């Protein structure tokens, strides 16, 4: 289209005009600089510094082995303490090299068909003594890059090199000179336990099957068939079943005990033994065909080079130049390594599971045929928030096939998958994420699938449908009856988020009735928001809110707490901000929330290491404070580094890495299921995204992290967001960056990303625009503070939290501020303990507010009793005042630990800052503090 041609022309002209010296560097080309050099597969393979991690480890739980983009084989080492990923960088021994792994899942998984080269006699059956054959290794002998892995097993003096194609793995083993070089093949062992396996040896070919599955405690299993071939005939072989070792046996089968086989080679005349193995979920014949089609020869180096080429093509969809991250914590080559390693992880999952001839096993257990690759393994709860939109934007063809595959799963199993491993729905995590994944794929350009069938499956789930015998929305009936889920606000929000995605998808397909029905349900998020606490919080079936609420408590929440889940309403941030009392309060709360960046599940702060909060930095854009988003994103990005502990939490099949890729590009799909991209400015001065419909160029000039201005295809815009149609045909985004927050970009009422409020019934009252807080920074006094860092001035510093509160244990606690001159005041806002992350039981129960023009005579303005609220607002008739004081009558009625001191996090005063007041009403010196 014309717009696409214009975008490409502008992009080319800009890239030609701007050189690398201090401005914008042109994106590199694959032929000039292989991008795989910037990928470190060890990133995320060891513990990070995340406190209170999600079960499964604080690290990324990644694996370093050989895989191609979306490959069905992940050929990687397994080490002793590595659960759930199979590999931990700090381990010093290797137990096996297996063919299947998940990138960053939180439960033990896979490690199917373990192989281990050894030398010498087999003293005991590997079926019961497998780990006795483990070997130490040295880091100096270990290396990995996309599509290849290498190490040396010191115990056996054997070098191991691995590579892969989509459906096959290949190994090159260099043994010492010996006549007892062996390869152990375990057909009954996996990360989730010993199960039935079969093996048959026929010369240099070994074939059979393994029983896999058991993810996250599931009892479900499935079969993997394999065909393993060697480049030479073995000199001996045998099998085992449990503790029984049978030299010379050519077959074995087990019904639950460990089974396997070994082959022996004489390497006295040639030390190298090459092998290749094909996998299939259909049959051994399918595995043979996969092997014949994808790796017919024995050229290990050629297969490894092809894997590298495939990765360069995938990574080359995004070319970045420069290296000033605007303060994200890294620069230059380190930034490139962090970025391309994250992109590498994004393209590892899901995995092709169909054979080269199109046959695949469906969710009904039967064999089917498709004319496109069929993908499996969906970490739905994790990947719907950012991964789905990113894959659709960068790889729309593959994303369409992924959507097709999910629809096939639903048609054959019953519903769109939730958290599935191969052909099993394991019902892991909460909510109904499948519709959000499909809707997000569609919203960002993946359109080549049966959309009508997809919508029908979404509706079926909402109607209580089942898949493989179980419902995904197991609490749908009570959700519809109460319009929330009793005792579990996080699950309730997940249902509402899914309803929103269905509403957007149905609207795109023209089904207005379905869209309206689901959008109305999406607005039920409001029934989880406690108006007194100011948080999303549990309530029982009678509608009673749990009280008091500890914002840091995880009770009623999945892998998070009330402070974190309160922000999980990205499709109606406008409504949430109004419910909080307006954008000023929202920004204060966000500033408090981002005081910590990876706080874990039991502190009331941001948790970059887990998905529910991934989109929260961009809530600042909705509050007309884009500088806050720029700060929060870049600070959070520092948790991503180039070391083995370089991911802040489990990668969850690319979800965590997808967050970083979006962050570095300067945009984020803040509203899952919609086509909205909230903006904050890129880490790189030059980005080129190659897409079939037209390239997207992202260019940034100037230094600093704050957007000063933005042009889209040459036209200036102050909006802090884009929609997918703005980019679909190609586009050029030109950012002007600066060291200080810009005053004009993203700060207007019309600049914010869209919120979707239709279907809410009665609209939430819009929070008033109050103007400046007249008390901010004013001279303060008060009764004796609890400590030096809780003095009276802390109630007027604009901050929430333990470092921004006033506290006094005096019997008649009081607080006063000097406005600096007599003003006309008309309202007061008091932010109590709960808003600063403390228990709502510490909110001030009874207090009075008085005003004075001279500090001597005080007029009553507000009297409050029996309050539980975390934030109270008090409009009054306009009055002149220079001094405002707050008198605490009851500090807290429900304090969790007995009598409590008074706590006020902020006392704000609003009115007319420049109103003229008669000179006779002004006084310069306040009287002595009040006695009560």
């Amino acid at each position: 289209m014309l717009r696409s041609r214009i975008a490409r022309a502008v992009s080319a002209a800009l890239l030609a005009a701007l050189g690398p010296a201090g401005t914008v560097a042109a994106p590199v080309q694959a032929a000039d600089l292989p991008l795989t050099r910037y990928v470190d597969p060890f990133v995320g393979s060891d513990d990070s510094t995340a406190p209170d991690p999600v079960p499964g480890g604080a690290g990324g739980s990644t694996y370093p082995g050989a895989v191609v983009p979306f490959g069905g084989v992940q050929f990687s080492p397994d080490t002793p303490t590595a659960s759930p990923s199979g590999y931990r960088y700090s381990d010093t021994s290797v137990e096996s090299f297996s063919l299947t792994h998940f990138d960053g899942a939180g439960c033990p998984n896979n490690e199917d068909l373990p192989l281990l080269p050894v030398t010498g006699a087999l003293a005991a059956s590997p079926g019961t003594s497998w780990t006795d054959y483990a070997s130490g290794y040295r880091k100096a002998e270990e290396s990995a890059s996309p599509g290849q892995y290498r190490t040396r097993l010191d115990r056996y003096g054997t070098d191991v090199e691995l590579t892969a194609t989509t459906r096959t793995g290949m190994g090159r083993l260099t043994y010492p000179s010996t006549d007892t070089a062996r390869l152990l093949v375990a057909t009954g062992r996996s990360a989730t336990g010993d199960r039935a396996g079969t093996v048959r040896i026929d010369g240099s070919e070994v074939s059979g099957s393994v029983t896999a599955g058991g993810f996250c405690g599931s009892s479900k299993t499935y079969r993997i068939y394999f065909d393993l071939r060697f480049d030479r005939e073995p000199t001996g072989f045998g099998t085992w079943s449990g503790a029984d070792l049978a030299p010379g046996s050519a077959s074995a089968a087990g019904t639950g005990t460990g089974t396997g086989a070994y082959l022996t080679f004489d390497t006295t005349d040639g030390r190298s033994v090459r092998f290749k193995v094909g996998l299939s979920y259909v049959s051994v014949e399918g595995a043979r065909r996969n092997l014949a089609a994808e790796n017919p020869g024995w050229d290990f180096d050629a297969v490894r080079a092809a894997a590298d080429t495939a990765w360069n093509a995938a990574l080359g969809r995004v070319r970045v130049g420069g290296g000033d991250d605007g303060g994200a914590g890294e620069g230059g080559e380190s930034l490139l390594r962090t970025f391309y390693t994250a992109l590498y992880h994004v393209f590892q999952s899901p995995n092709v599971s169909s054979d080269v001839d199109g046959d695949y096993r469906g969710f009904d257990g039967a064999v089917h045929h498709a004319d496109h690759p069929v993908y499996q393994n969906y970490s739905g709860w994790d990947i719907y928030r950012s991964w789905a939109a990113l894959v659709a934007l960068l790889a729309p063809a593959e994303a369409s096939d992924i959507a097709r595959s999910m629809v096939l799963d639903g048609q054959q199993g019953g519903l769109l998958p939730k958290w599935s491993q191969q052909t099993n729905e394991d019902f892991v995590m909460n909510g109904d994420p499948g519709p959000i994944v499909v809707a997000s794929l569609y919203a960002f350009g993946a359109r080549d699938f049966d959309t009508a069938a997809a919508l029908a499956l979404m509706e079926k789930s909402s109607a209580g449908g089942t898949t493989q015998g179980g419902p995904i929305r197991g609490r749908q009936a009570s959700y519809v009856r109460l319009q929330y889920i009793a005792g579990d606000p996080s699950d309730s929000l997940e249902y509402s988020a899914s309803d929103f995605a269905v509403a957007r998808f149905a609207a795109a397909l023209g089904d207005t009735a379905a869209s309206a029905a689901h959008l109305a349900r999406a607005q039920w998020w409001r029934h989880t928001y406690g108006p007194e606490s100011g948080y999303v919080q549990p309530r029982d079936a009678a509608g009673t809110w749990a009280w008091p609420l500890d914002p840091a408590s995880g009770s009623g929440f999945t892998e998070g707490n009330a402070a974190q889940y309160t922000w999980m309403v990205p499709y109606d941030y406008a409504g949430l901000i109004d419910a909080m009392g307006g954008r000023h309060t929202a920004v204060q709360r966000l500033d408090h929330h981002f005081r910590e960046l990876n706080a874990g599940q039991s502190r009331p702060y941001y948790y970059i290491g887990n998905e529910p909060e991934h989109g929260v930095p961009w809530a600042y854009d909705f509050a007309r404070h884009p500088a806050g988003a720029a700060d929060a994103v870049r600070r959070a990005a520092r948790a991503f580094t180039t070391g083995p502990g370089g991911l802040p939490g489990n990668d969850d099949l690319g979800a965590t890495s997808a967050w970083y890729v979006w962050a570095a590009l300067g945009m984020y799909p803040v509203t899952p299921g919609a086509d909205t991209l909230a903006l904050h400015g890129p880490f790189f001065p030059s980005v080129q995204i190659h897409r079939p419909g037209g390239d997207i160029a992202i260019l940034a000039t100037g230094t600093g992290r704050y957007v000063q201005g933005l042009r889209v295809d040459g036209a200036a815009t102050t909006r802090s967001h884009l929609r997918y149609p703005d980019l679909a045909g190609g586009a050029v985004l030109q950012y002007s960056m600066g060291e200080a927050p810009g005053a004009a970009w993203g700060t207007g009422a019309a600049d914010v990303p869209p919120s979707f409020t239709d279907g809410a019934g009665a609209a939430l009252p819009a929070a008033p625009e109050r103007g400046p807080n007249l008390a901010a920074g004013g001279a303060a006094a008060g009764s004796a503070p609890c400590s030096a860092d809780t003095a009276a001035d802390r109630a007027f510093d604009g901050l929430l939290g333990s470092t921004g509160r006033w506290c006094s244990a005096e019997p008649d606690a009081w607080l006063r501020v000097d406005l600096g001159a007599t003003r006309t005041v008309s309202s007061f806002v008091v932010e109590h303990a709960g808003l600063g992350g403390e228990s709502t039981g510490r909110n001030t129960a009874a207090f009075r507010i008085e005003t004075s023009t001279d500090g001597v005579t005080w007029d009553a303005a507000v009297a409050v009793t029996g309050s539980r609220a975390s934030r109270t607002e008090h409009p009054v008739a306009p009055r002149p005042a220079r001094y405002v004081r707050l008198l605490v009558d009851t500090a807290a009625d429900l304090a969790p630990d007995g009598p409590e001191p008074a706590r006020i996090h902020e006392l704000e005063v609003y009115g007319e800052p420049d109103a003229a007041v008669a000179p006779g009403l002004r006084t310069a010196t306040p009287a002595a503090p009040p006695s009560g």
Side-chain angles (χ1 to χ4, degrees):
M1 59 177 60
L2 178 61
R3 181 174 175 274
S4 176
R5 291 198 300 271
I6 292 173
R8 287 194 293 269
V10 173
S11 173
L14 285 168
L15 292 173
L18 297 172
T23 52
V24 176
V28 294
Q29 299 299 316
D32 301 328
L33 184 63
L35 298 176
T36 51
R37 66 175 289 187
Y38 294 118
V39 174
D40 183 354
F42 293 112
V43 168
S45 64
D46 217 332
D47 289 347
S48 70
T49 57
D52 188 20
V54 172
S61 294
T62 62
Y63 63 87
V67 65
V68 297
F70 303 118
V73 168
Q74 309 87 36
F75 206 174
S76 191
D78 304 312
T79 66
T81 68
S83 181
S85 67
Y87 175 90
R88 186 186 298 276
Y89 185 84
S90 56
D91 279 347
T92 57
S93 66
V94 173
E95 294 182 342
S96 62
F97 302 91
S98 58
L99 276 294
T100 62
H101 295 83
F102 277 159
D103 168 41
C107 292
N109 60 85
N110 294 303
E111 300 177 44
D112 301 304
L113 197 61
L115 310 176
L116 184 65
V118 302
T119 60
L122 299 183
S125 169
T128 53
S129 305
W130 182 271
T131 57
D132 291 346
Y133 291 94
S135 171
Y137 74 102
R138 290 166 290 163
K139 287 299 171 185
E141 298 289 345
E142 184 183 43
S143 64
S145 62
Q148 78 89 27
Y149 173 85
R150 181 191 180 281
T151 194
R152 179 177 178 81
L153 302 181
D154 291 338
R155 177 178 177 180
Y156 305 112
T158 299
D159 293 329
V160 179
E161 298 173 90
L162 309 177
T163 189
T165 70
T166 298
R167 299 168 179 87
T168 79
M170 189 174 190
R172 181 163 63 188
L173 309 175
T174 305
Y175 291 95
S177 178
T178 178
D179 61 359
T180 60
R182 310 183 196 276
L183 184 70
L184 309 182
V185 182
T187 54
R189 176 181 173 84
S190 76
T192 55
D194 290 351
R195 297 187 181 86
T198 66
V199 63
R200 178 179 179 82
I201 304 170
D202 185 4
S204 61
E205 180 183 16
V206 182
S207 59
S209 66
V210 301
T211 303
F215 180 66
C216 266
S218 171
S219 62
K220 296 181 179 180
T221 61
Y222 53 88
R223 282 288 181 116
I224 304 176
Y225 301 89
F226 70 92
D227 186 55
L228 171 65
R229 305 207 177 198
F230 296 89
D231 68 345
R232 61 163 77 181
E233 290 287 326
T235 57
F237 55 84
T239 64
W240 67 79
S241 180
D244 297 328
L245 189 63
S249 167
S251 65
T255 59
T257 59
T259 58
Y262 67 90
L263 296 96
T264 304
F265 301 92
D266 187 338
T267 58
T268 55
D269 292 330
R271 295 174 56 199
S272 176
V273 176
R274 290 170 294 182
F275 67 89
K276 54 188 178 181
V277 56
L279 299 186
S280 169
Y281 296 90
V282 174
S283 64
V284 170
E285 282 304 315
R288 289 191 178 110
R289 286 191 292 269
N290 292 340
L291 194 57
E294 292 189 357
N295 190 3
W298 289 104
D299 191 338
F300 181 92
D301 292 329
V303 175
R304 180 176 59 187
D308 184 77
T309 298
W311 275 113
N312 272 309
L315 300 172
R317 299 181 193 212
V318 185
R319 311 296 179 90
V320 298
D324 177 8
D325 65 1
E330 294 181 321
E333 187 158 315
S334 292
L335 184 63
L336 293 172
R337 288 187 180 279
T338 304
F339 177 80
Y340 279 112
T341 299
L343 190 57
Y344 166 76
H345 285 136
V346 166
F347 285 136
Q348 285 186 1
S349 310
N351 311 108
V352 172
S353 67
S354 55
D355 289 343
V356 291
D357 62 1
D359 285 354
Y360 70 97
R361 194 168 297 277
F363 265 44
D364 56 0
V367 176
H368 302 268
H369 183 84
D371 60 359
H372 59 86
V374 174
Y375 295 82
Q376 297 296 3
N377 303 326
Y378 300 104
S379 175
W381 185 83
D382 308 290
I383 63 174
Y384 84 69
R385 304 168 201 271
S386 61
W387 178 91
L390 183 62
V391 168
L393 182 71
L394 301 183
E398 292 89 340
S400 288
D401 285 340
I402 290 168
R404 285 182 179 186
S405 301
M406 294 182 71
V407 171
L408 289 175
D409 294 343
Q411 291 173 323
Q412 294 156 9
L415 298 173
L416 294 172
K418 178 180 184 178
W419 213 128
S420 60
Q421 182 186 32
Q422 294 303 331
T423 54
N424 290 340
E425 176 54 69
D426 291 322
F427 301 99
V428 177
M429 303 306 293
N430 58 343
D432 185 12
I436 315 179
V437 174
V438 172
S440 292
L441 292 171
Y442 181 92
F444 282 87
R447 307 287 170 84
D448 188 12
F449 65 97
D450 190 339
T451 54
L455 181 58
L457 289 166
M458 296 175 187
E459 293 274 40
K460 182 181 177 183
S461 184
S462 294
T466 63
T467 181
Q468 295 183 353
I472 286 178
R473 290 188 173 218
R475 296 192 275 187
Q476 179 71 6
S478 63
Y479 171 68
V480 171
R481 176 170 53 85
L482 298 173
Q483 300 188 357
Y484 62 92
I485 295 176
D488 194 340
S490 59
D491 207 15
S492 190
L493 288 175
E494 294 287 356
Y495 279 34
S496 296
S498 187
D499 280 322
F500 171 77
V502 176
R504 296 303 297 168
F505 187 67
L509 302 187
D511 191 334
T512 56
S515 178
H518 284 277
L519 193 54
R521 290 180 181 178
Q523 302 303 337
W524 292 350
W525 74 263
R526 302 177 185 208
H527 303 309
T528 70
Y529 183 87
E532 287 186 304
S533 71
Y535 292 93
V536 163
Q537 66 179 110
R539 64 192 306 192
D540 63 21
T544 303
W545 300 100
W547 202 270
L549 174 72
D550 177 1
S553 171
S555 178
F557 297 93
T558 299
E559 296 184 359
N561 56 49
Q564 294 163 352
Y565 268 93
T566 292
W567 300 102
M568 215 195 89
V569 196
Y571 53 87
D572 190 16
Y573 271 142
L576 179 65
I577 289 169
D578 280 337
M580 287 181 169
R583 60 191 180 95
H584 172 75
T585 299
V587 169
Q588 283 182 311
R589 294 188 64 173
L590 286 166
D591 288 346
H592 173 258
H593 198 57
F594 284 98
R595 192 159 299 170
E596 294 182 20
L597 279 300
N598 204 17
Q601 302 174 62
S602 57
R603 290 179 62 74
Y605 303 108
Y606 184 65
Y607 188 8
I608 181 59
N610 206 23
E611 285 76 15
E613 283 210 288
H614 274 186
V616 177
W618 292 272
Y620 278 110
D621 283 353
F622 291 80
R624 296 164 58 180
H625 187 55
D631 286 331
V633 171
R634 284 161 172 78
R635 289 177 57 222
R638 295 173 188 164
F640 295 77
T641 69
T642 56
L647 288 178
N650 291 349
D651 204 37
D652 288 316
L653 279 65
T656 302
S657 290
W659 183 96
Y660 184 87
V661 172
W662 280 117
L665 295 179
M667 58 183 77
Y668 189 82
V670 70
T671 310
D675 61 6
T676 306
L677 289 166
L679 307 177
H680 60 276
F683 295 177
F684 298 97
S686 173
V687 177
Q688 195 88 3
I689 300 174
H690 298 291
R691 303 186 70 254
D695 291 355
I696 302 167
I698 305 173
L699 306 165
T701 57
T703 59
R705 66 178 59 179
Y706 302 109
V707 178
Q708 310 296 302
L710 171 64
R711 290 182 176 273
V712 180
D713 291 336
T717 178
T718 57
R719 295 186 308 168
S720 61
H721 68 283
L722 295 170
R723 305 285 292 273
Y724 172 72
D726 297 325
L727 307 175
V732 176
L733 313 182
Q734 297 169 261
Y735 287 93
S736 298
M737 308 298 291
E739 300 288 348
W745 185 80
T747 59
D751 295 336
V752 302
S755 290
F756 299 85
T757 59
D758 289 350
L764 288 169
E769 288 291 334
R770 301 178 185 83
N773 172 15
L774 304 180
S783 52
C786 299
S787 61
D789 61 357
T790 59
D793 61 334
R794 298 304 175 92
F796 306 102
D797 60 4
L799 302 177
L800 300 173
S802 58
T803 61
R805 71 178 182 189
W806 167 72
C807 172
S808 178
E810 292 295 307
D812 297 304
W814 59 273
L815 179 66
R816 189 188 65 216
V817 64
D818 181 352
L819 304 182
T822 301
R823 313 287 190 184
T824 299
V825 301
S826 56
S827 69
F828 308 94
V829 171
V830 186
E831 294 172 344
H832 302 274
L835 223 60
E838 300 183 81
S839 168
T840 59
R842 296 190 173 108
N843 290 341
T844 313
F847 59 95
R848 290 165 286 141
I849 298 176
E850 299 175 340
T851 62
S852 174
T853 58
D854 59 7
V856 176
T857 302
W858 294 88
D859 297 319
V862 174
V864 174
T865 59
S867 177
R868 304 196 312 179
S870 297
R871 180 185 182 277
T872 56
E873 185 169 348
H874 313 281
V876 298
R879 63 178 61 202
R882 174 168 178 170
Y883 304 99
V884 175
R885 72 179 182 187
L886 183 147
L887 308 170
V888 177
D889 296 317
T890 306
D893 282 335
L894 294 172
D897 302 314
E900 288 286 330
R903 288 177 170 87
I904 299 295
H905 282 251
E906 283 292 300
L907 171 57
E908 299 172 349
V909 181
Y910 295 96
E912 304 295 332
D914 299 316
V917 179
L921 295 180
R922 301 180 186 273
T923 60
T925 305
S931 59

